[in-house]
Amino acid sequence: MKGFLEGIQILDLTDEKASFCSKLLADLGARVIKIEIPGGDPSRRIGPFWGDCPNPEKSLFFYYHNTNKMGITLNLEHEEGKGIFLRLVKKADIVIETFSPGHLKRIDLGFDVLSRENPKLILVSVTGFGQNGPRSQYKSCDIVASAFGGQMYVNGSSSSPPLKAFGEQSYYTASLFAAIGILLALRKRTQSGKGEHIDISLQESVVSTLDHVMIRYFYEKVVPKRQGSLYWNNSFCILPCKDGHILFTPFQQWETLVEWMDNQGMAEDLKDEKYLEEEYRLQHVDHIIEVLKRWTKNHSTDELFEKGQLMRFSWAPVNSPEEVSHNPQLKARGFFIDVEHPELCRSIYYPGAPYKINRASIDRWERAPLIGEDNLQVYQKELGISQEELKRLASLNVI
Amino acid sequence: MDQKVLKGLRILDFTWVLAGPYATRILGDFGAEVIKIQSKKTAKGAESNLTGYFNHWNRNKRSITLDMNYPEAREIFLKLIKISDVVIENFSPRVMSNWGLDYERLKGVRSDLIMVSVSTMGQDGTWKDYVAYGPTLHALSGLTYLTSYNKDSPMGLGYAYADFISGLYAAFATLSALEYREKTGQSQYIDLSEYEAICTLLGPTFLDISQNHKQVLPYGNRSNYLSAAPYGCYKCLGTDRWCVIAVFNGEEWQSLCHILGHPDWTKDEKFSTLSKRQENAEELDGLLTHWTIQHPPEEVVDLLQEAGISAGVVQSAEDLARDPQLLARDFFIQLEHPTIGRTISDRSPIRFADDLTVGWKAGPVLGEDNRYVFIELLGLTEGEFSSLIEKGVIG
């Protein structure tokens, strides 16, 4: 099957903050041209690297976020570069960018200029704090978005500093919002015939996805705090096992749990009737966890997980990423896919898409572009720029 | 001009708790008619209509009641499918087929239907019936392990992040399938795995493991991959007040030393390059904390940002509610609920130049739209309607 988004043309000016957005669209079939500065996008300098050796053509970080995209180089700050960019804009549906607010305007490529060139163009801007407001010019990165967005404050233990979620989660969340925004704008465009400027803030993307945090504040005036691995409503905690840790539910199906422990002679005082009352259990959560710990330490994570799941306990081993990469369920679903890297003479194992469409996995996977890999295709074949002209532009550092 | 982007789109919302309801909330925010199917028996806990939680995740939706244990309810469901564009469900995989309502059957009723099934593990595979909530999925994916100060005491996130990611993916997939339907008229079935959804957010780590055959360990706020130092979370003046600072290059390092009143540090051999600053991060963090602890985080962050250094205040829910940036962008909105009263909710972070979100409506009361849906949309007679209520089919 062709991808859902086949035929949609995207110009991708993003750095690491939203390259995942254009990846999402590219993986579903949109034609994405990544436009990098001559020499390559700075996000190519972010690790991990293939062979652990820093090299802009070997960033695994860049690889993952730029699958199924084409790549060209272009200097947008150069007059001639701008001209070429505007020619590309004429044929594009969408431009995605992550410059600080006002930057495109300063180089005469603001939304008004772009829409004059192509009134149907949709521009998506992903920035730390959005296009307006007192902090719009502040610098951001994932840890700043996580802090200002309220995520860090509720992660970690109360006796240690707030803890950022691993990876670049604010970039991913913002990218998902931006991708949804693009599809909304495409739909609106079929009604109005006009493009849109979509404004996505990393901070707002984080605040929007905090689950109970704002609700409890607005409804109960509670300020949620970090409390280690004990979940805010005590429904989950992490306990040690013989061979690792298990994510555990201390209160779910209480009687079944106590019976299970008792069969092994390890229920201690939890058999006592007073624990049948939820209120009492909540008051004695620390003691309960101590008893549970003694029990879980006697078992392996797999044993508890497999048996627990059969009994409908929502437990799981606290997996290391190595364990995840061998997970039987992910394997059975064909989640990890092999992407060919001819330049490295091998294929690399990537996480694929999280959905099957009509019971089949997405099967079109192209590796990220090398620096300027599609310059000839785009400039010569599609824009009709001659080879001599391309040489001249390269010598001026336009491409 | 009518601003509702998704006007005319009808979504049958057979979802509960958070991942599914978040997906349909996004679509409802932009004008889709979302009809949430509930029943008296299941409207409990997170699905109890009069809680703040329900109100927050189910705004702009309609509510009807159907007890699916009755064959008549399943017949009515099929009639609803006929007049809907999309159905989204997040039951465990066997539920819809046990009711005889799997995709093939539904497509037989509505030939261009988009059906989205959101489940913890996906519709197939040996684990398909496993029970999991957000924290379970974080643990399974590696996110909990990696979001820790060290590998021996895993921490993880303090909230159900995975549900949002699944909801966002579900909304994205729905709109993509609709985009394709516009051109081809084709129906689609999307089988979204929440476990896989959260795993896509650890992509570079999985590539690192498979290619470099090494262990990736948690290091608290220190980044495994990012080239920055100082980098981390620093204690500030006040109770549980913190800031974050990220210094990416030499220029920023020099600015930081000047602000700290220690221009001489830029000459210190130990801190002369990025890799040396990373090597001596602990000492550096100590020196930096010595300064941050004397100031409120807002002051630290303003000073650093003015000098072009990435820095942030670690904000609590209370800070967020008063955050001048969020307030300047009207991030919070009010919902008038007939029973709960005036409540506060958040605007969609998908911002268009003109506000394209709908006029905000609070979460529905249980069965609020029964008359509208069953009589006006499906054309049941008053008699049929009341007899179905009496039987408990609508209930």
Side-chain angles (χ1 to χ4, degrees):
Chain A
M1 185 202 124
K2 285 186 171 180
F4 286 158
L5 306 178
E6 204 87 22
I8 293 168
Q9 308 273 340
I10 300 176
L11 300 177
D12 176 7
L13 299 176
T14 63
D15 63 11
E16 66 277 10
K17 291 189 182 71
S19 52
F20 191 72
C21 170
S22 43
K23 170 192 161 64
L24 288 167
L25 301 157
D27 291 350
L28 283 186
R31 185 176 191 262
V32 177
I33 302 176
K34 183 157 192 93
I35 301 180
E36 303 181 58
I37 53 170
D41 185 79
S43 72
R44 288 179 180 272
R45 292 203 289 267
I46 301 176
F49 293 94
W50 189 73
D52 267 333
C53 159
N55 176 328
E57 295 287 29
K58 290 181 180 166
S59 160
L60 297 171
F61 181 91
F62 186 87
Y63 285 178
Y64 180 66
H65 299 127
N66 293 284
T67 49
N68 289 323
K69 300 183 193 176
M70 300 168 71
I72 61 173
T73 52
L74 186 61
N75 184 352
L76 291 182
E77 314 235 346
H78 193 285
E79 271 320 304
E80 294 200 57
K82 268 175 225 173
I84 294 173
F85 179 67
L86 289 176
R87 285 176 67 189
L88 289 168
V89 163
K90 260 201 166 80
K91 302 202 286 182
D93 298 291
I94 295 147
V95 172
I96 313 176
E97 62 100 5
T98 48
F99 298 111
S100 62
H103 175 82
L104 279 181
K105 198 170 198 139
R106 273 193 296 279
I107 60 168
D108 296 320
L109 293 174
F111 181 59
D112 49 337
V113 175
L114 303 184
S115 22
R116 220 167 12 219
E117 212 61 40
N118 175 359
K120 294 175 85 171
L121 185 84
I122 294 158
L123 174 67
V124 187
S125 301
V126 179
T127 55
F129 299 93
Q131 297 292 305
N132 64 309
R135 277 204 291 271
S136 64
Q137 294 301 320
Y138 271 23
K139 276 196 183 171
S140 191
C141 57
D142 187 63
I143 199 171
V144 170
S146 177
F148 264 130
Q151 181 192 66
M152 282 183 83
Y153 194 78
V154 294
N155 295 340
S157 91
S158 57
S159 55
S160 304
L163 187 59
K164 183 181 89 69
F166 178 85
E168 289 73 29
Q169 301 306 326
S170 67
Y171 301 168
Y172 297 135
T173 313
S175 287
L176 279 157
F177 280 119
I180 292 168
I182 286 170
L183 293 166
L184 291 170
L186 280 170
R187 202 175 166 92
K188 171 138 193 289
R189 192 176 74 171
T190 56
Q191 302 154 17
S192 70
K194 283 203 309 243
E196 287 286 340
H197 184 188
I198 304 170
D199 167 15
I200 305 282
S201 139
L202 294 182
Q203 184 196 14
E204 290 179 356
S205 300
V206 176
V207 186
S208 297
T209 51
L210 289 179
D211 184 9
H212 62 92
V213 174
M214 295 315 290
I215 301 176
R216 287 165 70 209
Y217 181 74
F218 285 133
Y219 286 83
E220 298 158 30
K221 285 283 161 226
V222 171
V223 179
K225 294 194 184 297
R226 58 192 186 283
Q227 45 183 52
S229 74
L230 181 63
Y231 206 55
W232 64 274
N233 58 4
N234 299 307
S235 60
F236 292 93
C237 60
I238 294 174
L239 301 178
C241 294
K242 266 191 217 163
D243 57 347
H245 290 86
I246 189 149
L247 187 278
F248 198 87
T249 52
F251 294 148
Q252 195 183 19
Q253 307 186 88
W254 176 256
E255 287 165 71
T256 312
L257 175 63
V258 173
E259 196 187 318
W260 182 357
M261 294 167 71
D262 191 32
N263 284 340
Q264 301 174 346
M266 297 197 72
E268 300 180 28
D269 67 331
L270 301 188
K271 282 183 292 182
D272 201 315
E273 265 181 22
K274 53 187 190 247
Y275 285 106
L276 288 174
E277 261 178 65
E278 195 176 335
E279 201 50 43
Y280 189 82
R281 294 204 297 269
L282 281 170
Q283 284 159 11
H284 297 82
V285 63
D286 292 340
H287 171 70
I288 290 173
I289 285 177
E290 282 313 309
V291 180
L292 289 171
K293 244 188 220 174
R294 286 193 276 275
W295 179 65
T296 57
K297 267 187 179 163
N298 253 305
H299 297 79
S300 72
T301 47
D302 275 350
E303 190 187 344
L304 289 181
F305 176 49
E306 297 299 337
K307 197 166 173 208
Q309 281 289 344
L310 284 177
M311 298 166 79
R312 316 292 299 155
F313 285 102
S314 47
W315 302 344
V318 177
N319 280 332
S320 71
E322 292 80 25
E323 289 162 325
V324 181
S325 61
H326 300 121
N327 181 280
Q329 173 68 8
L330 297 176
K331 281 217 166 122
R333 296 258 304 166
F335 172 63
F336 286 101
I337 38 129
D338 272 319
V339 178
E340 291 296 330
H341 278 259
E343 81 289 2
L344 303 173
C345 302
R346 64 180 306 152
S347 63
I348 296 181
Y349 202 49
Y350 281 62
Y355 22 64
K356 286 188 174 180
I357 295 163
N358 303 326
R359 310 202 191 279
S361 303
I362 294 173
D363 56 7
R364 177 182 155 272
W365 294 99
E366 300 271 348
R367 63 141 171 77
L370 303 174
I371 299 169
E373 185 169 2
D374 299 292
N375 279 355
L376 277 184
Q377 167 68 27
V378 173
Y379 292 136
Q380 214 174 332
K381 296 200 182 129
E382 292 173 24
L383 292 186
I385 301 175
S386 70
Q387 206 151 10
E388 298 80 67
E389 181 68 356
L390 282 180
K391 267 192 200 146
R392 189 184 66 82
L393 290 168
S395 71
L396 290 172
N397 204 29
V398 173
I399 61 175
Chain B
M1 196 189 99
D2 197 320
Q3 291 279 12
K4 292 181 183 175
V5 190
L6 299 180
K7 194 182 179 214
L9 194 71
R10 186 172 291 138
I11 316 265
L12 215 46
D13 178 358
F14 222 162
T15 70
W16 57 294
V17 188
L18 185 52
Y22 192 64
T24 53
R25 182 177 103 148
I26 295 169
L27 303 169
D29 279 355
F30 288 92
E33 181 177 63
V34 178
I35 301 175
K36 187 175 172 86
I37 303 175
Q38 302 186 264
S39 78
K40 275 182 198 143
K41 285 182 197 153
T42 58
K44 296 188 177 103
E47 286 301 307
S48 164
N49 295 55
L50 298 182
T51 61
Y53 197 83
F54 182 94
N55 186 33
H56 198 77
W57 305 122
N58 293 286
R59 68 185 188 202
N60 298 327
K61 298 181 191 175
R62 297 184 183 277
S63 163
I64 61 169
T65 52
L66 270 182
D67 183 339
M68 296 301 282
N69 293 317
Y70 291 92
E72 294 97 322
R74 304 200 282 270
E75 284 307 310
I76 291 176
F77 179 80
L78 287 173
K79 284 186 187 158
L80 281 168
I81 286 289
K82 204 171 192 149
I83 57 163
S84 298
D85 300 278
V86 177
V87 59
I88 305 184
E89 58 98 6
N90 69 334
F91 295 112
S92 47
R94 55 202 141 86
V95 173
M96 291 299 280
S97 51
N98 283 353
W99 284 332
L101 299 172
D102 50 24
Y103 172 62
E104 280 66 30
R105 176 82 191 274
L106 304 187
K107 194 185 161 188
V109 174
R110 167 98 187 194
S111 63
D112 65 350
L113 181 75
I114 308 294
M115 177 167 180
V116 183
S117 292
V118 181
S119 60
T120 57
M121 296 293 156
Q123 300 291 312
D124 53 17
T126 44
W127 288 16
K128 69 176 160 47
D129 295 321
Y130 278 18
V131 248
Y133 294 92
T136 326
L137 298 163
H138 300 164
L140 280 173
S141 71
L143 184 62
T144 299
Y145 177 87
L146 291 168
T147 305
S148 304
Y149 303 103
N150 58 63
K151 71 176 173 49
D152 301 319
S153 49
M155 289 285 146
L157 274 66
Y159 61 97
Y161 177 59
D163 290 67
F164 291 89
I165 295 308
S166 304
L168 284 161
Y169 264 119
F172 172 66
T174 303
L175 291 168
S176 298
L178 283 167
E179 181 69 25
Y180 194 63
R181 192 180 80 170
E182 288 288 309
K183 294 173 191 155
T184 61
Q186 278 182 22
S187 163
Q188 304 291 343
Y189 178 56
I190 292 158
D191 157 16
L192 172 71
S193 150
E194 298 182 62
Y195 182 21
E196 292 169 15
I198 198 80
C199 286
T200 65
L201 308 192
L202 296 167
T205 303
F206 290 128
L207 266 64
D208 191 17
I209 287 162
S210 86
Q211 290 308 301
N212 297 326
H213 310 289
K214 66 174 181 210
Q215 261 192 310
V216 178
L217 297 170
Y219 295 110
N221 289 317
R222 280 214 192 122
S223 168
N224 302 48
Y225 304 124
L226 215 56
S227 305
Y231 180 91
C233 185
Y234 302 90
K235 195 161 179 39
C236 295
L237 184 66
T239 312
D240 208 24
R241 305 293 328 269
W242 304 81
C243 71
V244 297
I245 299 172
V247 174
F248 291 98
N249 56 44
E251 204 182 322
E252 292 171 6
W253 166 240
Q254 292 194 353
S255 306
L256 178 70
C257 294
H258 278 98
I259 290 171
L260 263 56
H262 286 282
D264 49 306
W265 291 356
T266 60
K267 295 191 188 89
D268 192 327
E269 188 54 27
K270 278 184 297 196
F271 306 137
S272 57
T273 63
L274 182 62
S275 57
K276 287 201 174 156
R277 289 196 293 279
Q278 283 178 308
E279 242 167 70
N280 298 305
E282 220 156 295
E283 186 181 347
L284 194 53
D285 287 347
L287 291 170
L288 199 48
T289 304
H290 192 72
W291 175 68
T292 56
I293 205 155
Q294 299 173 49
H295 307 273
E298 291 80 7
E299 205 178 299
V300 171
V301 168
D302 284 349
L303 266 172
L304 296 181
Q305 284 279 0
E306 254 168 61
I309 297 165
S310 301
V313 178
V314 177
Q315 301 207 95
S316 68
E318 191 174 20
D319 299 330
L320 290 172
R322 302 178 187 149
D323 181 286
Q325 176 68 14
L326 296 176
L327 296 180
R329 285 167 60 85
D330 284 327
F331 183 70
F332 297 109
I333 49 156
Q334 292 188 343
L335 297 178
E336 281 298 339
H337 190 284
T339 315
I340 309 173
R342 177 169 296 179
T343 60
I344 299 173
S345 192
D346 51 353
R347 195 177 286 281
S348 169
I350 304 168
R351 310 287 200 123
F352 293 84
D354 298 318
D355 182 11
L356 297 185
T357 44
V358 293
W360 302 100
K361 182 188 160 295
V365 173
L366 185 66
E368 181 177 297
D369 300 287
N370 278 345
R371 285 197 77 82
Y372 163 75
V373 171
F374 295 123
I375 294 177
E376 281 181 50
L377 292 185
L378 291 186
L380 296 190
T381 63
E382 287 286 345
E384 287 166 332
F385 182 60
S386 38
S387 112
L388 287 170
I389 292 174
E390 217 163 286
K391 268 191 188 170
V393 175
I394 296 175

